[in-house]
């Protein structure tokens, strides 16, 4: 009960910490020597661990604990960050994320962390022993079926209630990222059961020491066929063989191995880890000390450096407490976040400052003393004052910490919809009240109604904004993804994100993530070339991938632009012909844009070889379908050799936009302000006819002019001498439309016309005006051809 | 004996029609309708129903019958089927009837000018009166409105 109450808060905060971790580990990757960052990462991991432990998510906390151990070594300069450690850390973060989403979906957050924990553990152990050869592992296929005592007992117990399988998975020989495939296999299996033993060992997998075969002992209640089906669904899995294990089988393969090798101990331990956290806890607390000890002992032997250095090293180890007071004081200055005795700090500050400048220091000091006096009305006792002051010093830190942990609640969007609708009704009544009060003309009534109008205006803003979220929440996971991908593809890419604060409706945000992931992967895999290719074609080694979001009209545009090899039109046509997507005649008639759109056809792939990331021809058509289902569109602009831009155009299903209300005949329309450059008055005679098209001159250029009444077949014969015109723009194109009357600017609530009326020409939705009438919203983008 | 189904009875002129109560949200009096350009003629536009924008279609127009003037009795029946919510303009909405599903007979090719595919069947209320039951999912078939548009455009 009470934990339920805190669960949402936990998830939100944990997510934040994870994001923080991801960001910082990435930063660290660019600056591996930045110990401040390590500290930061350590702290986040630590907080996460504490939170998870409080909530009873043991796997989560035990994994973060292992991460902490590694990070502890790093920040104490016991080990250098290496790409292997980064990979393991990132993997850990991924698993943490998986656990979190499991918890979010009502699961228990359980996951098999054996692999990753042992990898993390190995880093620590390696450091402890100073021996890098520990991981050498001679396990071969022959021993793959063998079970040690622990595994044997686990399997034996499971046989009573569940099924045990011995699974042999063969990975395609051409597979580039076997580790990823192995992970996919284990992840899939873990959804339905438990992996007891895996060969090659998890360590070997981490080290990419895999041949094409994977052998597993697996407990599950799912039947063979389902398993087979699910595993074979993973791409690049060649075959799978599932044997049902019985007691007899187990006994045959049970080898009572004497556990004399360190390797075995390590493994054994790591396999029990998730379950028996409590047992391990004390042991771990000893670890750092031990390491410290052993390092200390070794240090003088290895490096014959003066003691001084050792001392300075110690200063950087914030958690060690057996240090001279001096150093303690010094350390605290450097790390204000740690709880500290303010007096001490004050003292040391005072001590240091006089060394530099005398007078300014005094001034500073006296100023400091005076400040709190001013703010807190004087109780002229000196000691309390001092305390007050030191408190003040600390307060800002506390606040910043608080504000960083966002305080949020989760609300069902349906509730927000209801709130919104109720509010719209209120709005209508408000307008009626305003009319009534002006008729009655009583001062106090008018004032009250005016006040109500103001308050309801504020409420309106809040209600509308509740549904809007910055796309940041989708974008912020991309840097990490792009980094991983680029690494696995051996490409160098810089990701530039702009407009992450562009706000979108929550519904759209939830849906847009996957298509964008796909497009980014596509850009990385097909668009950007390898560093060698890039140098050959005279580009910089590092590719640029930019992801930008912005509002235009009542649309949001998200663009993915890269400076890669561009789309080869001829190649596309050839493939499309070969796959009979188009005929030869059609091919000759097609425009560039149409050719580009071909890559969205189902089953289309230009990739010569199918890679792990994309190019299976099932991607882009799914992307297109998804975006279309959101009411959006996707466009491609590409120049061979220069790069490709995918432009995703999304409607704001529900949002508030500023618009110009206009009247044509008896009908009112809203035109989104973001598409309007200006409004103007035009004399009839200024209209020129060029190629049967009405044009006007606007800023020394001819632009087409349209009549709204013709566009929408609006009845009415009113034909004035001077035309009211609105100049619209889309990109660098402009056009003018003639309307009868401007009503004025207004913030309007975008509403959909429902599912019955879809794809209406040049109408993107409707809004409800103050008088309760519906006004249609013009989609200016549709007017440009 | 089949199960009892509840139907809202309404008229489009001389005949009585029925739609299943389950699909009916509310019945409203006529209210101002905002025309939506570039839609088939029978789509009268949209209304603001307590904050929700709902398309309105004239049922007579939908069936290709001549549309009639709206009167005091004209009603908008707000129906929803699957994820589509639409208001139907009818001449009059009268009553709720229980109909035994076993007594519903298949509709003949054409009833009062309405093609059989729009009809769920026909039920006898008593000796004189017959209720024509609408097949809403066919009446509100979106593909058809697209076709109509193309045909017109």
């Amino acid at each position: 009960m009470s934990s339920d109450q805190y669960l949402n808060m936990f998830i939100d905060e944990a997510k934040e910490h994870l994001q923080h971790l991801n960001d910082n580990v990435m930063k660290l990757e660019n600056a591996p020597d930045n110990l401040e960052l390590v500290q930061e990462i350590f702290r986040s991991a630590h907080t996460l661990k504490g939170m998870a432990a409080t909530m009873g998510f043991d796997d989560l906390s035990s994994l973060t604990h292992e991460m902490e151990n590694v990070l502890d070594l790093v920040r104490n300069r016991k080990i250098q960050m290496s790409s292997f450690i980064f990979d393991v850390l990132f993997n850990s973060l991924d698993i943490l994320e998986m656990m979190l989403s499991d918890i979010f979906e009502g699961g228990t957050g359980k996951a098999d962390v054996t692999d990753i924990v042992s990898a993390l553990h190995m880093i620590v152990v390696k450091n402890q022993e100073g021996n890098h050869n520990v991981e050498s592992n001679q396990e071969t296929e022959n021993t793959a079926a063998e079970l040690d005592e622990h595994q044997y007992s686990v399997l034996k117990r499971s046989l009573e209630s569940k099924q045990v399988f011995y699974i042999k998975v063969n990975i395609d020989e051409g597979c580039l990222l076997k580790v990823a495939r192995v992970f996919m296999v284990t992840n899939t299996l873990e959804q339905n059961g438990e992996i007891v033993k895996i060969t090659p060992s998890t360590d070997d997998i981490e080290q990419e020491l895999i041949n094409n075969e994977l052998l597993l002992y697996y407990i599950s209640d799912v039947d063979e066929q389902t398993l087979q089906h699910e595993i074979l669904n993973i791409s690049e899995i060649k075959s799978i063989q599932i044997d049902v294990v019985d007691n007899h089988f187990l006994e045959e393969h049970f080898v009572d191995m004497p556990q004399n090798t360190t390797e075995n101990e390590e493994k054994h331990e790591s396999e029990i880890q998730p379950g028996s956290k409590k047992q391990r806890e004390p042991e771990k607390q000893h670890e750092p000390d031990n390491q410290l000890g052993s390092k200390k002992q070794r240090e003088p032997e290895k490096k014959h450096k003066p003691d001084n250095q050792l001392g300075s090293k110690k200063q950087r180890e914030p958690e060690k407490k057996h240090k001279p007071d001096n150093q303690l004081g010094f350390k605290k200055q450097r790390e204000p976040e740690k709880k500290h005795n303010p007096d001490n700090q004050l003292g040391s500050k005072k001590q240091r400052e006089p060394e530099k400048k005398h007078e300014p220091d005094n001034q500073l000091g006296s100023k400091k003393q005076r400040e709190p006096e001013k703010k807190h009305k004087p109780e002229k006792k000196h000691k309390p004052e001092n305390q007050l002051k030191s408190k003040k010093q600390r307060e800002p830190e506390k606040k910043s910490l608080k504000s960083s942990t966002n305080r949020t609640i989760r609300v069902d969007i349906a509730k927000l919809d209801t709130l919104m609708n109720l509010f719209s009704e209120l709005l209508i009544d408000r307008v009626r009240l305003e009319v009534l009060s002006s008729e009655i003309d009583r001062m106090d009534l008018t004032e009250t109604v005016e006040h109500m109008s103001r308050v309801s205006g504020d409420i309106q803003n809040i209600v509308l904004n509740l549904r809007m979220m910055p796309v940041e929440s989708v974008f912020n996971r991309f840097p990490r993804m792009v980094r991983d991908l680029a690494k696995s593809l051996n490409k160098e890419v810089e990701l530039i994100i702009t407009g992450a604060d562009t706000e979108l409706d929550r519904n759209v945000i939830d849906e847009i993530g996957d298509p964008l992931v796909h497009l980014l992967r596509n850009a990385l895999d097909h668009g950007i070339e390898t560093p060698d290719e890039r140098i050959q074609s005279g580009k910089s080694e590092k590719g640029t991938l930019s992801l930008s979001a912005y509002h235009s009209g009542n649309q949001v545009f998200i663009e993915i632009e890269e400076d890669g090899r561009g789309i080869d039109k001829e190649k596309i046509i050839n493939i499309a012909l070969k796959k009979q997507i188009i005929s030869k005649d059609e091919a000759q008639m097609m425009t560039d844009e149409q050719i580009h759109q071909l890559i969205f056809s189902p089953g289309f792939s230009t990739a010569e070889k199918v890679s792990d990331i994309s190019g299976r021809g099932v991607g882009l058509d799914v992307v297109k379908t998804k975006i279309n289902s959101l009411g959006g569109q996707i466009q491609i602009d590409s120049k061979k050799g220069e790069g490709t831009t995918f432009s995703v155009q999304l409607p704001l299903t529900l949002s508030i936009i500023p618009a110009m209300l206009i009247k044509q005949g008896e009908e009112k329309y809203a035109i989104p302000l973001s598409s309007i450059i200006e409004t103007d008055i035009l004399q009839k005679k200024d209209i020129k006819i060029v190629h049967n098209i009405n044009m006007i001159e606007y800023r020394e250029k001819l632009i087409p002019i349209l009549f709204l009444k013709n566009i929408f077949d609006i009845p009415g014969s009113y034909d004035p001498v001077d035309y009211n015109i609105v100049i619209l723009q889309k990109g660098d194109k402009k056009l003018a439309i003639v309307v009868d009357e401007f009503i004025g600017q207004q913030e309007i609530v975008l509403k959909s016309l429902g599912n019955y009326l879809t794809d209406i020409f040049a109408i993107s939705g409707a809004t409800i005006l103050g008088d309760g009438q519906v006004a249609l919203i013009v989609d200016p983008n549709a007017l440009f051809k | 004996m089949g199960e009892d189904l509840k139907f809202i009875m309404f008229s489009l002129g001389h005949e009585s029609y029925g739609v299943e109560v389950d699909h009916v949200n509310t019945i409203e009096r006529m209210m101002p309708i905002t025309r939506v350009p570039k839609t088939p003629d029978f789509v009268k536009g949209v209304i603001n129903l307590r904050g929700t924008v709902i398309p309105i279609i004239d049922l007579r127009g939908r069936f290709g019958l001549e549309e009639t003037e709206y009167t005091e009795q004209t009603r908008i029946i707000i129906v929803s089927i699957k994820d589509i919510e639409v208001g139907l303009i009818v001449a009059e909405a009268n009553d709720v009837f229980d109909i035994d599903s076993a007594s519903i007979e298949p509709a003949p090719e054409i009833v009062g000018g309405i093609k059989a595919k729009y009809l769920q069947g026909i039920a006898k209320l008593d000796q004189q009166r017959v209720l024509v039951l609408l097949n809403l999912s066919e009446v509100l078939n979106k593909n058809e409105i697209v076709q109509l548009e193309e045909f017109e455009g």
Side-chain angles (χ1 to χ4, degrees):
Chain A
M1 289 232 299
S2 61
S3 78
D4 264 9
Q5 216 176 326
Y6 295 113
L7 190 59
N8 284 337
M9 210 187 282
F10 164 73
I11 291 169
D12 280 348
E13 289 191 14
K15 271 188 181 160
E16 250 166 56
H17 281 294
L18 257 187
Q19 186 59 44
H20 211 62
L21 280 166
N22 257 319
D23 290 350
N24 280 327
V25 175
M26 278 188 66
K27 272 188 215 156
L28 187 66
E29 200 175 26
N30 292 326
D33 296 326
N34 190 340
L35 286 182
E36 300 256 312
L37 274 175
V38 181
Q39 280 290 4
E40 190 92 340
I41 296 166
F42 184 87
R43 262 198 302 278
S44 293
H46 188 76
T47 321
L48 194 59
K49 181 182 88 173
M51 282 160 52
T54 320
M55 298 297 293
F57 299 119
D58 290 346
D59 285 358
L60 230 162
S61 68
S62 70
L63 179 51
T64 34
H65 186 93
E66 290 296 337
M67 288 173 66
E68 241 181 81
N69 283 347
V70 172
L71 290 167
D72 190 52
L73 292 176
V74 177
R75 69 172 182 175
N76 292 339
R77 300 227 162 164
K78 292 279 166 58
I79 47 172
Q80 279 281 324
M81 288 303 285
S82 67
S83 70
F84 176 64
I85 299 179
F86 275 117
D87 284 346
V88 174
L89 282 181
F90 277 131
N91 270 326
S92 320
L93 294 178
D94 287 344
I95 292 177
L96 288 175
E97 206 170 317
M98 249 170 49
M99 291 173 167
L100 262 185
S101 55
D102 181 49
I103 294 168
F104 179 55
E105 275 151 26
T108 52
K110 289 258 177 264
D112 188 358
V113 292
T114 321
D115 304 6
I116 200 77
V117 163
S118 60
L120 286 165
H121 204 70
M122 206 182 66
I123 298 171
V124 176
V125 170
K126 243 201 273 181
N127 174 68
Q128 264 178 337
E129 301 187 355
N131 179 2
H132 288 260
N133 298 324
V134 186
E135 83 269 18
S136 70
N137 199 331
Q138 275 107 39
E139 227 172 337
T140 56
E141 266 181 49
N142 299 334
T143 60
E146 287 174 0
L147 296 162
D148 66 26
E149 198 181 341
H150 169 67
Q151 291 160 345
Y152 173 72
S153 62
V154 169
L155 289 174
K156 182 128 192 173
R157 242 182 295 127
S158 314
L159 267 181
E160 290 162 15
S161 54
K162 292 182 173 180
Q163 293 202 75
V164 176
F165 301 105
Y166 180 58
I167 305 175
K168 200 187 252 183
V169 180
N170 272 310
I171 303 170
D172 213 323
E173 274 169 25
C175 176
L176 289 175
L177 287 167
K178 284 176 191 158
V179 182
R181 289 299 162 216
V182 172
F183 263 102
M184 285 172 82
V185 171
T186 50
N187 282 346
T188 314
L189 288 173
E190 275 159 10
Q191 281 166 10
N192 298 317
E194 191 187 341
I195 297 170
V196 177
K197 190 186 181 200
I198 180 165
T199 310
S201 75
T202 46
D203 294 350
D204 284 353
I205 295 171
E206 291 296 332
Q207 299 277 314
E208 305 202 14
L209 296 172
I210 323 168
N211 48 20
N212 297 321
E213 200 172 52
L214 192 64
L215 295 148
L216 303 134
Y217 277 99
Y218 177 59
I219 307 170
S220 172
D221 15 64
V222 180
D223 63 282
E224 281 170 76
Q225 278 84 6
T226 327
L227 279 179
Q228 186 144 7
H229 183 72
E230 280 189 21
I231 299 291
L232 285 177
N233 258 348
I234 300 169
S235 45
E236 293 182 295
I237 298 299
K238 205 156 99 191
S239 65
I240 177 170
Q241 184 194 332
I242 301 178
D243 295 322
V244 178
V245 172
D246 52 17
N247 267 322
H248 180 68
F249 186 99
L250 277 185
E251 259 142 51
E252 240 172 44
H253 292 90
F254 172 43
V255 180
D256 199 358
M257 277 194 286
Q259 302 194 349
N260 48 6
T261 61
T262 46
E263 180 196 311
N264 259 332
E265 271 172 40
E266 196 190 316
K267 261 196 121 176
H268 188 76
E269 198 185 338
S270 67
E271 265 149 9
I272 324 174
Q273 270 169 7
S276 57
K277 201 197 104 212
K278 276 183 189 165
Q279 290 176 354
R280 287 168 54 245
E281 203 93 337
E283 172 197 320
K284 271 180 195 156
Q285 276 168 0
H286 289 298
E287 267 169 27
D289 280 349
N290 276 338
Q291 287 156 13
L292 193 76
S294 62
K295 189 125 193 187
K296 263 189 195 164
Q297 284 167 4
R298 258 181 286 135
E299 205 118 319
E301 288 169 27
K302 279 183 182 171
K303 300 169 192 168
H304 297 278
K305 283 170 190 166
D307 279 352
N308 258 348
Q309 242 197 356
L310 200 74
S312 66
K313 207 164 219 170
K314 269 189 192 165
Q315 285 168 7
R316 282 191 215 102
E317 294 167 0
E319 275 188 1
K320 311 293 164 207
K321 281 171 186 168
H322 38 71
K323 280 172 200 160
D325 281 352
N326 235 346
Q327 281 183 344
L328 200 73
F330 182 58
K331 183 201 86 192
K332 275 169 183 167
Q333 283 166 21
R334 294 185 23 162
E335 289 171 31
E337 304 93 329
K338 298 281 162 200
K339 283 177 193 170
H340 53 251
N341 179 352
D343 280 354
N344 212 341
Q345 202 195 23
L346 201 76
S348 60
K349 212 169 202 170
K350 274 183 182 166
Q351 278 172 7
R352 260 202 312 170
E353 277 165 356
E355 285 169 19
K356 291 174 189 167
K357 293 167 195 169
H358 284 274
E359 278 182 14
D361 182 49
N362 271 337
Q363 282 171 358
L364 201 79
S366 58
K367 208 175 195 176
K368 267 186 189 168
Q369 279 173 357
R370 250 181 286 135
E371 256 173 53
E373 277 177 18
K374 275 183 197 165
K375 280 174 189 169
H376 299 262
K377 281 164 191 174
E379 285 170 53
K380 288 184 179 172
K381 287 172 198 167
H382 280 276
K383 274 185 184 173
E385 227 171 73
N386 262 338
Q387 281 171 359
L388 247 171
K389 174 178 143 198
S390 56
K391 238 181 208 164
K392 279 227 107 186
Q393 285 177 338
R394 263 187 298 164
E395 246 165 57
E397 288 161 22
K398 270 191 182 172
K399 266 183 191 165
S400 67
L401 272 179
K402 254 188 186 169
S403 64
S404 71
T405 55
N406 229 334
R407 293 163 62 82
T408 48
I409 53 161
R410 262 161 213 286
V411 183
D412 189 347
I413 290 184
K415 284 186 188 167
L416 291 180
D417 284 340
T418 319
L419 180 63
M420 186 66 226
N421 286 341
L422 288 173
F423 187 78
S424 320
E425 280 189 65
L426 198 68
L427 222 59
I428 296 160
D429 290 341
R430 187 189 89 188
V431 175
R432 280 192 198 131
L433 267 181
E434 278 168 351
V435 175
L436 284 176
S437 77
S438 70
E439 277 170 13
I440 292 167
D441 197 24
R442 242 184 74 175
M443 265 301 277
D444 47 355
L445 179 63
T446 319
E447 271 171 22
T448 315
V449 170
E450 264 172 18
H451 183 249
M452 202 192 86
S453 304
R454 272 200 304 277
V455 173
S456 69
D458 292 346
I459 298 176
Q460 180 180 9
N461 276 333
I462 291 168
V463 171
L464 289 170
N465 279 320
L466 280 180
R467 285 183 60 98
M468 301 295 279
M469 259 170 90
V471 276
E472 199 179 358
S473 57
V474 183
F475 282 9
N476 61 16
R477 64 176 150 132
F478 291 151
R480 169 68 204 289
M481 190 197 85
V482 169
R483 170 223 170 253
D484 287 1
L485 264 179
K487 211 175 164 190
S488 68
L489 290 166
N490 289 322
K491 290 179 180 177
E492 284 184 42
V493 181
E494 189 184 0
L495 177 69
I496 301 167
I497 293 181
T498 47
D501 55 347
T502 307
E503 291 205 319
L504 253 173
D505 192 89
R506 225 165 269 199
N507 290 343
V508 181
I509 293 239
D510 289 345
E511 300 289 326
I512 195 62
D514 288 345
L516 288 182
V517 166
H518 223 106
L519 289 174
L520 282 174
R521 285 173 164 231
N522 195 68
L524 270 172
D525 197 19
H526 298 312
I528 289 174
E529 314 93 325
T530 58
D532 291 346
E533 280 176 63
R534 290 184 67 87
I535 291 168
Q536 271 175 23
S537 51
K539 295 178 185 174
S540 70
E541 215 168 301
K542 206 170 193 175
T544 311
L545 180 60
S546 71
L547 175 65
S548 50
Y550 57 90
H551 278 258
S552 174
N554 40 32
Q555 312 269 326
V556 165
F557 287 80
I558 299 177
E559 289 184 350
I560 292 159
E561 189 178 357
E562 68 13 48
D563 61 349
R565 52 173 76 98
I567 293 175
D568 189 338
K569 276 182 282 178
E570 278 168 33
K571 203 163 147 191
I572 288 182
I573 289 179
N574 286 336
I575 292 172
L577 286 173
K578 211 160 81 189
K579 299 203 171 168
Q580 295 178 336
I581 296 168
I582 51 165
S583 68
K584 263 200 170 137
D585 294 342
E586 280 175 310
Q588 281 171 346
M589 303 276 289
M590 289 180 105
T591 62
D592 283 7
E593 175 65 27
Q594 284 170 320
I595 295 168
H596 291 154
Q597 288 285 340
L598 279 176
I599 65 172
F600 293 117
S601 317
F604 190 90
S605 175
T606 55
E608 272 133 21
K609 61 170 188 250
V610 167
S611 78
D612 181 57
I613 290 99
S614 53
R616 308 187 65 83
V618 287
L620 285 175
D621 65 312
V622 176
V623 170
K624 187 172 181 171
T625 321
K626 183 90 210 173
I627 287 168
N628 287 348
S629 77
L630 289 171
Q633 280 170 351
I634 180 162
Q635 259 142 15
I636 310 172
D637 188 23
S638 180
K639 276 202 182 115
K640 198 180 169 186
E642 286 177 30
T644 308
T645 305
F646 283 87
S647 177
V648 178
Q649 185 182 342
L650 291 166
L652 305 167
T653 47
L654 180 114
S655 86
I656 171 175
I657 54 163
M660 166 70 81
L661 284 183
I662 57 101
K663 200 171 173 186
Q664 177 68 47
E666 289 303 306
E667 298 179 4
K668 288 175 188 167
Y669 290 87
I671 304 173
L673 220 52
S674 50
S675 289
I676 299 178
I677 307 175
E678 64 175 314
T679 56
D680 206 349
I681 292 171
L682 182 82
Q683 287 191 328
K684 217 178 198 172
K685 61 177 171 54
D686 290 338
I687 296 181
K688 305 177 170 75
I689 295 173
V690 184
H691 294 295
N692 277 333
I693 299 169
N694 289 331
M695 305 281 261
I696 57 161
E697 214 178 288
Y698 175 73
R699 294 187 187 162
E700 284 140 28
K701 269 173 119 179
L702 279 177
I703 62 169
I705 183 162
L706 305 168
F707 290 80
L708 195 69
K709 63 176 180 190
N710 296 340
I711 299 171
F712 291 146
D713 310 317
I714 302 166
S717 54
Y718 173 65
D719 191 23
V721 185
D722 292 338
Y723 289 138
N724 285 321
I725 60 165
V726 184
I727 314 280
L728 300 174
Q729 75 168 347
K730 180 196 182 190
D732 49 1
K733 290 183 221 162
K734 295 181 181 65
L735 64 76
I737 53 174
V738 178
V739 302
D740 271 1
E741 202 181 310
F742 300 125
I743 298 171
Q745 279 181 33
Q746 201 175 313
E747 302 257 291
I748 58 165
V749 183
L750 230 121
K751 304 231 170 201
S752 102
L753 289 177
N755 290 319
Y756 187 64
L757 295 177
T758 47
D759 299 325
I760 296 165
F761 173 74
I763 296 290
S764 61
T767 188
I768 294 168
L769 301 176
D771 60 1
Q773 293 290 300
V774 181
L776 300 176
I777 300 168
V778 180
D779 174 15
N781 294 330
L783 301 177
F784 293 89
K785 278 179 188 158
Chain B
M1 287 289 283
E3 50 179 331
D4 265 355
L5 300 172
K6 276 193 190 311
F7 282 85
I8 299 259
M9 188 173 111
F10 62 88
S11 70
L12 291 177
H14 305 298
E15 317 257 355
S16 293
Y17 298 86
V19 282
E20 255 182 272
V21 160
D22 289 349
H23 292 308
V24 176
N25 299 352
T26 59
I27 299 175
E28 305 285 329
R29 288 175 175 277
M30 271 309 275
M31 57 176 89
I33 299 175
T34 303
R35 186 186 73 98
V36 180
K38 308 279 180 189
T39 49
D41 280 344
F42 64 81
V43 175
K44 292 292 137 191
V46 289
I47 58 162
N48 163 23
L49 186 73
R50 291 177 277 281
T52 311
V53 176
I54 294 177
I56 300 298
I57 65 179
D58 188 302
L59 256 195
R60 284 190 65 90
R62 176 70 185 86
F63 295 134
L65 306 174
E66 193 188 328
E67 288 176 25
T68 49
E69 291 273 305
Y70 303 141
T71 64
E72 263 300 293
Q73 266 64 53
T74 304
R75 293 289 180 272
I76 299 173
I77 302 182
I78 311 287
V79 296
S80 61
I81 187 157
K82 286 174 223 152
D83 54 349
I84 291 178
E85 192 174 23
V86 166
L88 307 172
I89 297 179
V90 299
E92 208 174 328
N94 317 58
D95 221 336
V96 180
F97 278 93
D98 285 332
I99 290 170
D100 183 355
S101 64
S103 72
I104 300 176
E105 292 164 22
E109 245 336 278
I110 219 158
V111 182
I114 302 174
K115 287 189 194 132
K117 70 166 173 175
Y118 299 126
L119 304 179
Q120 186 184 333
I122 285 180
K124 271 200 179 117
L125 288 183
D126 44 45
Q127 289 304 317
Q128 287 90 41
R129 289 188 299 171
V130 171
L131 202 60
V132 184
L133 308 177
L134 291 187
N135 177 354
L136 271 187
S137 48
E138 203 53 50
V139 172
L140 303 182
N141 189 336
K142 255 172 65 182
N143 295 332
E144 210 159 298
I145 135 173
V146 175
Q147 278 166 17
L148 276 166
E149 255 179 298
E150 280 168 1
F151 180 71
E152 284 179 5

